[in-house]
Amino acid sequence: MPTPEEIESLRQLDRDHLLHPNVVLGEFEDTGGTIIVSGEGATVRDIDGREYIDAIGALWLANIGYGRPELAAVAAAQMRQLPFWSLFYGWSNAPAIRLAAEMARIAPEAFNHAFFTSGGSEANETSIKFARLYHVRRGHPNKQIVIGLARAYHGVSYGAMTATGLERVREGYAPLVGAFEHIAGAYCYRCPFGKTYPECQLFCADEIERTIERLGPENVAAFIAEPVQGVGGVITPPDGYFEKVRAICDRHDVLWISDEVICGFGRTGKLFGIENWTVRPDLISCAKGITSGYLPLGASLVSDKVYLALKGDGHQTLNHGFTYSGHPVAAAVALENIRILLREGLPARAAEMGDAMRAQISALGNPYIGEVRGKGLLIGVELVRDRSSREPADVAMAVELACRRSGVILRALGGNIISISPPLVITEAQAARVVAVLDQAVRAECGSAGEAAAQ
Ligand code: PLP
């Protein structure tokens, strides 16, 4: 255990030297952060010894939970044998080969090739580049535009950031990349088109076709979407949405990229999020749950249709690659992570636990909870002042902090949405505690916000 002096010194060094993503820098210099030092199953412990239920899977990714010695063992063994060798220019390494073969085995049918990256942004960069190259190789170099959804999050590198539909992510970084277009998505609770499902007949999906026609199909390369939008608010398209996407993309020779960075590897109750619908995309970007966060890794999974175009006439080079594409230690860890996910049936467990948690939250009768949504253990809770008017209750951050004080880590998204995405091994007792703490915090924060507004 570190001494109080050592802890204070570490906190000071954090404030003085470490740049953190998404913090108000001036505030952080004063307050510092919470330093997490260990984890076991679905719980983590901070440097002061406080234990929390991690109901966000760190950052949507701790799918198999913390403290798995098998992953440490394979990482150590691989580091001893060969810490790194690249895949460039025909070189290869055994863990990357085995992982690519495993991805071909477990991914949807006809996804037989994998390109590895270090994370989700790079996976999306790769998928977007491959989509454009697909059209170039097939003689349609003008098919460049990528259509994405409002509220989508695809990462922070330039292409992935430009594809992202959240203004705050892009602010201050202009000029962005050319040839990206955003349209409204399937947000049924607050339909951007003012319609109601199913009478709407998926007007939102038809918006993709209207947009392709407006831009000219000869200019459109791809449509990119998360199966369930994570950062944008756990926004869950209804049945039929992606079936329409598939048909529209096929009609206009537009590729469909499924961003499974959050949804992949069991989170939504299926191994891949898109398996909650009946159709399949052309490219799949994944990361996070591929290693449950034990090491950084991502991938762009390539369908046979795209692979054949990339191969071209058989004499063309694939000019794309990161130093760490197919890092052998990360690949070995991913293989062991996937073995555990499958051996323990964690996707099915996520489906069961997710349904149970959604039912428990709905049964609370909490007047400030307007909607509970999501798939598997990817859960969104939208807070409202009043269920009939659906006026947003912008207290999500206060709820997050109150839950944290009670030993439960949840995440505020925007002003009025709480996300829950725990390790898929969360126990029933832990899940019940998360629901109870959330209920209490929402009642307290919405109640006091209501009183303050009334004064
Ligand atoms: N795509 C989605 C859906 C994400 O949620 C994220 C990160 O949260 C990314 C892409 C970017 O991944 P990374 O942060 O690993 O670059």
Side-chain angles (χ1 to χ4, degrees):
M1 274 294 283
T3 64
E5 293 73 32
E6 283 165 343
I7 293 174
E8 198 32 59
S9 157
L10 200 60
R11 286 212 168 94
Q12 192 61 48
L13 293 171
D14 191 14
R15 291 198 291 261
D16 289 348
H17 300 295
L18 187 54
L19 277 176
H20 290 250
N22 292 34
V23 301
V24 178
L25 297 179
E27 275 175 21
F28 190 83
E29 278 183 12
D30 297 330
T31 60
T34 304
I35 303 169
I36 299 293
V37 292
S38 63
E40 187 65 39
T43 62
V44 292
R45 198 174 280 277
D46 73 17
I47 199 161
D48 299 311
R50 272 178 61 94
E51 191 176 272
Y52 306 82
I53 299 173
D54 170 18
I56 60 169
L59 209 49
W60 322 85
L61 56 57
N63 292 10
I64 64 165
Y66 303 97
R68 298 278 195 166
E70 302 95 313
L71 271 66
V74 297
Q78 184 59 44
M79 277 188 195
R80 278 193 205 100
Q81 188 185 328
L82 179 73
F84 180 75
W85 196 259
S86 95
L87 305 186
F88 276 76
Y89 314 118
W91 293 104
S92 204
N93 71 66
I97 297 168
R98 293 201 182 98
L99 181 61
E102 179 65 356
M103 300 308 291
R105 191 181 73 82
I106 66 171
E109 208 185 319
F111 276 84
N112 286 307
H113 290 83
F115 192 98
F116 294 115
T117 69
S118 304
S121 301
E122 286 183 0
N124 279 326
E125 293 297 333
T126 302
S127 295
I128 291 166
K129 286 177 74 173
F130 285 179
R132 287 181 173 165
L133 190 59
Y134 166 89
H135 293 295
V136 170
R137 294 267 156 100
R138 295 174 75 244
H140 305 293
N142 292 335
K143 280 177 85 70
Q144 296 173 354
I145 301 174
V146 176
I147 300 174
L149 296 178
R151 303 178 78 106
Y153 184 75
H154 297 300
V156 294
S157 53
Y158 262 91
M161 174 178 66
T162 309
T164 291
L166 293 161
E167 208 42 58
R168 66 175 187 276
V169 175
R170 304 192 304 225
E171 216 175 270
Y173 296 115
L176 303 181
V177 179
F180 282 80
E181 188 83 12
H182 287 96
I183 61 172
Y187 186 6
C188 294
Y189 190 63
R190 300 184 189 281
C191 178
F193 302 99
K195 300 196 179 288
T196 308
Y197 179 81
E199 295 81 56
C200 62
Q201 296 184 5
L202 293 160
F203 188 88
C204 53
D206 290 332
E207 180 68 3
I208 302 166
E209 186 148 48
R210 286 187 289 274
T211 307
I212 293 172
E213 282 166 354
R214 173 171 59 78
L215 298 167
E218 68 282 9
N219 300 316
V220 181
F223 169 72
I224 183 169
E226 301 150 81
V228 176
Q229 284 188 343
V231 179
V234 192
I235 294 168
T236 315
D239 290 346
Y241 180 80
F242 285 112
E243 283 75 5
K244 266 201 162 180
V245 166
R246 181 70 274 173
I248 292 165
C249 288
D250 285 345
R251 268 199 293 281
H252 299 287
D253 187 21
V254 167
L255 294 180
W256 165 23
I257 303 169
S258 186
D259 179 348
E260 302 256 358
V261 168
I262 287 178
C263 293
F265 300 94
R267 166 88 22 226
T268 68
K270 308 274 186 194
L271 209 41
F272 291 88
I274 204 58
E275 289 170 338
N276 287 287
W277 288 264
T278 60
V279 286
R280 302 294 171 250
D282 301 301
L283 288 147
I284 295 175
S285 303
C286 48
K288 294 193 189 277
I290 193 171
T291 60
S292 292
Y294 279 75
L295 278 179
L297 185 73
S300 170
L301 307 183
V302 176
S303 64
D304 294 348
K305 164 176 150 184
V306 174
Y307 172 74
L308 280 176
L310 297 185
K311 193 168 80 163
D313 63 9
H315 299 286
Q316 287 155 309
T317 304
L318 185 60
N319 285 314
H320 177 71
F322 304 96
T323 295
Y324 293 127
S325 287
H327 192 292
V329 182
V333 164
L335 275 166
E336 189 60 27
N337 172 63
I338 293 166
R339 216 168 280 143
I340 290 171
L341 265 179
L342 298 179
R343 189 181 67 215
E344 298 184 3
L346 294 181
R349 182 180 165 73
E352 224 172 274
M353 289 292 290
D355 285 347
M357 285 185 84
R358 266 184 296 278
Q360 284 165 23
I361 296 168
S362 299
L364 291 170
N366 186 319
Y368 306 111
I369 293 182
E371 189 181 51
V372 187
R373 56 179 176 248
K375 293 209 181 273
L377 281 171
L378 180 54
I379 301 172
V381 179
E382 182 142 354
L383 307 179
V384 291
R385 298 220 170 285
D386 172 79
R387 275 191 185 162
S388 50
S389 73
R390 299 189 179 182
E391 185 194 340
D394 286 330
V395 295
M397 186 44 87
V399 169
E400 177 186 320
L401 294 175
C403 290
R404 205 184 301 178
R405 286 192 293 275
S406 300
V408 170
I409 305 176
L410 295 168
R411 177 159 166 199
L413 301 172
N416 75 316
I417 299 167
I418 296 287
S419 70
I420 304 174
S421 58
L424 311 186
V425 295
I426 189 170
T427 65
E428 269 137 43
Q430 288 167 334
R433 171 98 187 123
V434 170
V435 172
V437 166
L438 172 69
D439 183 38
Q440 209 173 25
V442 168
R443 285 176 197 272
E445 296 304 329
C446 288
S448 58
E451 278 162 29
Q455 276 167 12

